[in-house]
Amino acid sequence: MPLNRRTFLGTSAAAGAGVAIAGGSAVPAAAHGHGHGHGHGRPPKRYSFTVMGTTDLHGNVFNWDYFTDKEFDDKDHNDVGLAKISTLVNQMRQEKGRANTLMIDAGDTIQGTQLSYYYAKIDPITAKRGPVHPMAQAMNAIGYDAAALGNHEFNYGIPVLRKFEEQCDFPLLGANALDAKTLRPAFAPYVIKKMRTPHGPDVKVAILGLTNPGIAIWDKANVSGKMVFPGLEEQAAKFVPRLRSMGADVVIVSAHSGNSGTSSYGDQIPYVENAAGLVAEQVPGIDAILVGHAHLEIPEYFVENKQTGKKVVLSEPLKWGQRLTLFDFDLVWEKGRWVVERAGSQVLNSNTVAEDRKITRLLADEHKKVVAYVNQVIGTSTAAMTTAEAAWKDEPIIDLINVVQAETVKAALAGGAYAALPVLSQASCFSRTAQIPAGDVTIKDAAGLYPFENTLEARLLTGAQLKDYLEFSARYYVQTAAGVPVDTAKLTNADNTPDYNYDAVSGLTYEIDIAKPNGSRIVNLSFEGKPIDAAAQFVLAVNNYRASGGGNFPHVAGAKQLWANSEEIRNTIIAWVQAKGSVDGAQFASVDWRLTREGTPVF
């Protein structure tokens, strides 16, 4: 995967040949003489600079939710998008002096909203004379210095990613994204930036980018035979000493990898998914790590390197542009070189500022196009369907998700070794306000059923495992004795279980006896009218969150994966409605499960 000339000249990192200059002369940290060393009682030379970081932007430019078609809001009143981040960045640059700042990202940039979907699939950036990706436009305007590759960068295939890379005025870094044939980096592994100081010698700041080994599984269809993704620790151990020997005074890692040391892909590949903390612990010579992938907020966290005892600072800003990380570095000139004396971090909340008009004006047309697109009619519905009671009744609107998932998996397995097995499907009531109206159905309506950017997998389970799975799911209901009045407001979310961790499984019939204790609630579990065979094999159409251990359901994370794709389930639902033209609950709705007490239905 040769670097094209523009990318090569822009970064020259792969060759380690040139370095990009951060430019400008700095605001003096201490404007003392230019002599070397501390002689003649002079105070030592010092220099401070700040590295700002975002991660998991997932296609968010505006503080807008394209699925509800209104301003984004959540229970904590967070805001999202690069337009807000831009305002924070401008404030920091004003405060610190632009030449004393760098701006980086830790990946998952071009997937996640209908804005990013539109420019990958509807009006693709890869078309002849195609548009410039809104994320490239916004990040160029903000003035990013580098971004690591996230796993979702590969969702739309390598050509879309390469085109995005070409459109960015900054390098996309991935020291562990290797060409499958040559095993050389397929992207620039690092970039070195020079910070001008008031004391003569520049500070050389190396930014090393690392991505997630899970790409090999999650985007197998797009990368198999083209790229391989070794572990983060292994590649960091190779590159950090090299960067130090090239004269880097400060080494920052931008890692699309969480901090917890855990993996959701079991033994499918020998690398750790969330390895940022392990990198800090195992690889000497790193000063700071911008953490991504886990969608958590970590303002400041220190990890001690096992070899040197030195503390490495880690920070993860919250997803979608809800937070901006600030790494502050204080350096001192010692024995002819710059040494990091102190490094710390904090996060700023993007809900404290207004959107930057420069960014919103720049992308106003793109935004308008996408708003029109989500309001487009894609079919009709014979009746209104809603999730209002789906948390305690088997409702047609949840059956719709399940029928789409089951049909997609059946088609994918057709003609293969598992084609004859029955396909079941799991779905949750993600939102109690989702609805499909009677009459016209828009993209927004269909997508609103599935607010998460989950993708679909097929896993192999036995009848006995499915019973365990359903028992686990049924813990969601508060135990309610027979004869006691049932209040739906107090029936669900036992032990704070969220709605998205209660699964209804279609393709089986069963009762959930809420009068019984946890673990013995599933009654009359049947397949095709007969009690389920504990040893029989079934295919479960399941979202990637659940399949990778999300919610901690039994068996599924360890079950054999028969198929997976990188298309978001919500987009599969949209395509299904478009292809059918009309949604008729009578064709797919069925009551497969119900709540009972001692054999008597609750509703």
Side-chain angles (χ1 to χ4, degrees):
M1 214 67 53
L3 286 163
N4 65 43
R5 187 165 176 276
R6 180 175 160 196
T7 329
F8 183 78
L9 292 176
T11 65
S12 46
V19 286
I21 305 287
S25 62
V27 176
H32 292 284
H34 289 274
H36 292 265
H38 302 174
H40 319 298
R42 279 205 196 109
K45 297 179 205 172
R46 296 185 183 281
Y47 175 67
S48 297
F49 72 97
T50 298
V51 177
M52 299 174 282
T54 50
T55 190
D56 297 277
L57 291 167
H58 284 288
N60 285 283
V61 173
F62 295 85
N63 185 38
W64 193 259
D65 182 342
Y66 293 97
F67 295 115
T68 57
D69 201 17
K70 52 179 191 269
E71 194 174 311
F72 177 88
D73 197 25
D74 65 10
K75 65 180 192 315
D76 301 317
H77 301 300
N78 286 304
D79 287 346
V80 299
L82 278 171
K84 291 257 176 179
I85 290 294
S86 186
T87 304
L88 291 173
V89 168
N90 292 339
Q91 287 177 359
M92 283 301 106
R93 284 176 176 156
Q94 213 169 341
E95 189 185 311
K96 316 260 182 193
R98 173 147 190 163
N100 303 318
T101 65
L102 292 171
M103 180 71 194
I104 63 174
D105 183 82
D108 275 6
T109 307
I110 59 169
Q111 174 278 347
T113 60
Q114 290 294 308
L115 180 73
S116 49
Y117 179 77
Y118 188 88
Y119 287 97
K121 297 279 200 174
I122 310 301
D123 183 9
I125 58 171
T126 44
K128 233 191 184 115
R129 288 195 287 282
V132 177
H133 201 290
M135 295 304 283
Q137 291 192 56
M139 291 170 90
N140 290 341
I142 290 167
Y144 274 77
D145 292 287
L149 293 163
N151 50 287
H152 284 285
E153 260 59 271
F154 293 85
N155 285 178
Y156 298 121
I158 292 170
V160 168
L161 174 52
R162 285 295 184 197
K163 189 66 187 176
F164 174 68
E165 178 188 30
E166 199 184 296
Q167 293 177 343
C168 291
D169 296 341
F170 51 90
L172 298 185
L173 306 177
N176 61 331
L178 310 182
D179 180 283
K181 292 180 181 63
T182 65
L183 297 185
R184 292 171 64 87
F187 294 84
Y190 57 83
V191 66
I192 294 177
K193 309 294 278 187
K194 278 186 181 175
M195 313 293 284
R196 296 246 170 92
T197 76
H199 308 296
D202 294 336
V203 173
K204 280 185 174 179
V205 183
I207 301 152
L208 177 69
L210 295 168
T211 191
N212 206 294
I215 296 164
I217 296 170
W218 304 318
D219 264 306
K220 197 174 182 172
N222 289 326
V223 300
S224 187
K226 295 175 189 152
M227 291 186 197
V228 292
F229 302 88
L232 286 89
E233 310 96 306
E234 175 189 316
Q235 290 303 99
K238 195 179 285 186
F239 278 100
V240 173
R242 193 183 299 181
L243 293 169
R244 288 291 182 185
S245 71
M246 285 164 60
D249 301 300
V250 182
V251 174
I252 298 162
V253 174
S254 183
H256 192 74
S257 180
N259 180 47
S260 62
T262 57
S263 264
S264 69
Y265 34 67
D267 53 6
Q268 295 178 73
I269 49 175
Y271 311 118
V272 177
E273 177 180 350
N274 295 306
L278 299 173
V279 170
E281 196 180 85
Q282 294 172 20
V283 181
I286 296 167
D287 295 295
I289 301 181
L290 178 65
V291 178
H293 183 62
H295 291 200
L296 298 173
E297 182 173 339
I298 305 174
E300 181 183 63
Y301 180 76
F302 289 95
V303 173
E304 194 173 294
N305 184 271
K306 279 185 169 163
Q307 265 169 272
T308 63
K310 201 187 104 167
K311 285 193 162 49
V312 183
V313 63
L314 279 68
S315 178
E316 180 175 7
L318 200 57
K319 65 182 188 293
W320 306 346
Q322 294 178 47
R323 303 287 184 276
L324 175 70
T325 279
L326 303 180
F327 288 108
D328 289 308
F329 298 94
D330 297 330
L331 280 67
V332 62
W333 182 261
E334 262 175 22
K335 302 193 182 104
R337 54 186 283 260
W338 287 110
V339 177
V340 175
E341 197 171 42
R342 196 199 71 86
S345 63
Q346 55 173 307
V347 295
L348 304 181
N349 192 330
S350 68
N351 75 3
T352 59
V353 294
E355 291 186 314
D356 182 351
R357 297 270 313 275
K358 182 178 106 172
I359 303 297
T360 55
R361 277 202 299 260
L362 177 70
L363 291 159
D365 288 352
E366 286 82 346
H367 177 63
K368 224 181 287 173
K369 270 185 196 167
V370 176
V371 168
Y373 164 74
V374 299
N375 285 293
Q376 201 176 298
V377 173
I378 50 167
T380 56
S381 176
T382 54
M385 294 189 274
T386 157
T387 53
E389 298 191 320
W392 54 86
K393 286 184 187 169
D394 185 350
E395 293 282 28
I397 197 163
I398 304 296
D399 293 337
L400 174 60
I401 299 174
N402 276 326
V403 77
V404 172
Q405 292 184 164
E407 283 185 13
T408 304
V409 165
K410 268 181 203 149
L413 298 179
Y418 300 95
L421 291 181
V423 177
L424 314 176
S425 175
Q426 62 73 232
S428 306
C429 174
F430 294 116
S431 148
R432 295 194 187 187
T433 56
Q435 52 185 324
I436 298 282
D440 288 348
V441 178
T442 63
I443 284 177
K444 187 180 72 194
D445 297 326
L449 272 185
Y450 218 107
F452 297 102
E453 57 263 23
N454 295 342
T455 57
L456 190 58
E457 297 195 9
R459 298 274 177 141
L460 188 63
L461 293 171
T462 64
Q465 289 175 326
L466 283 160
K467 180 162 192 303
D468 289 348
Y469 186 101
L470 290 169
E471 287 288 5
F472 183 88
S473 188
R475 301 175 326 152
Y476 171 74
Y477 295 107
V478 172
Q479 190 172 357
T480 313
V484 173
V486 173
D487 176 359
T488 55
K490 296 179 182 152
L491 176 65
T492 61
N493 309 99
D495 296 326
N496 295 319
T497 303
D499 291 348
Y500 62 75
N501 277 341
Y502 169 65
D503 285 0
V505 173
S506 75
L508 301 170
T509 54
Y510 56 98
E511 292 165 23
I512 301 169
D513 189 332
I514 57 171
K516 291 193 157 87
N518 283 340
S520 57
R521 291 181 167 180
I522 301 298
V523 185
N524 297 329
L525 177 59
S526 308
F527 173 67
E528 291 183 340
K530 293 194 267 299
I532 198 164
D533 175 353
Q537 289 190 316
F538 296 87
V539 177
L540 182 66
V542 57
N543 70 54
N544 68 317
Y545 172 75
R546 189 69 78 236
S548 62
N552 226 2
F553 276 61
H555 308 304
V556 68
K560 184 179 174 70
Q561 185 194 65
L562 307 181
W563 173 83
N565 80 348
S566 60
E567 181 68 88
E568 290 168 24
I569 292 167
R570 61 186 171 205
N571 289 324
T572 306
I573 295 170
I574 291 165
W576 187 91
V577 174
Q578 264 173 320
K580 288 269 188 281
S582 88
V583 177
D584 180 1
Q587 293 183 349
F588 57 76
S590 60
V591 177
D592 295 327
W593 62 273
R594 55 165 50 95
L595 302 187
T596 58
R597 287 182 295 184
E598 294 173 4
T600 306
V602 177
F603 301 107

